Amino acid sequence: MTIDRTRRTTFNDVADLYDEVRPRYPAQLIDDIIAFSQIPDRGRILEIGCGPGNATVAFAGRGYKMLGIELGARLAALAVKNCRAYPDVKIINASFEDWQLEEKSFDLVISAEAFHWIPPEIAYPKAAHALNDSGTAALFWIIYQYPETAIYQAINDVYRRIAPTFDNASKSITPDWLTKQITGNFAESKYFGVVDVKQYSWSVTYTVEHYIKLISTFSVHDQLEAETRKTIFENIRAVIENFGGQIAQPYLAVLFQAKSKCYFVY
């Protein structure tokens, strides 16, 4: 599977929905990053692609100083709003590629579901140069699970019937595929040590309204014509209503974290 980086701005078009319905991150994942990085109290974090601040607030609430970089203007504005209770959080509306590097200024670099939108030959070296000598990079993604249950089979039938050529690329993202890609990128950059990989599973039950909002934020639907997309969503709504008006969405978060190689130089 290849990454179509031309779609990296599409989330800005659905910023309010993204803020409302996209899942938050497990507390254990946040705890594990803090433990692995050994970030000091009041340490400084750089977040790449902070979106509306879904991960930002989890770290800011623990007292860390943060700089969030977000390409989408609407998403950045939401991040500012969502982090207004944390005066030590600063949000910049810019691409990571264009951001003026602050060399060796951060204890921790994080990125939640955004790092793959940046070419790895830029992303990993620049992140490494932003870290101090004992710094850590922590990258994490949520993978949407599609169980072989009756309700999900019925939803699959909707796509096959209405848009038989539709390519749901998200179904190609497996934990093994993601792990191979990200650990490979870390290794190829030569800026980081051994990568620690952890997984976290949970499920969220959505009403039909919230589930339609959720899938409306999936960039894969941008390949569909507006009328086709509308018809698919209407049919998925009918499926969920026929199954009682709720659907359980299983999630798997995968965390990759590694120390800067400077950490190992004595």
Side-chain angles (χ1 to χ4, degrees), residues 41-62:
D41 293 342
R42 305 287 295 158
R44 195 169 184 223
I45 300 174
L46 171 66
E47 183 177 6
I48 300 165
C50 66
N54 290 355
T56 320
V57 295
F59 288 92
R62 299 178 186 228

Side-chain angles (χ1 to χ4, degrees), residues 6 41-42 52 55-56 61 64 73 88 113 126 145 157 166 168 180 186 189-190 199 213 222 227 234 245 266:
T6 64
D41 293 342
R42 305 287 295 158
T56 320
Y64 299 111
D88 287 329
E113 300 180 83
K126 192 167 185 178
Q145 307 284 280
D157 288 342
F166 175 69
N168 188 352
K180 181 179 179 181
F186 267 112
S189 79
K190 297 182 171 57
Q199 297 185 7
K213 287 180 178 180
D222 293 340
E227 192 60 34
E234 288 173 348
Y266 296 93

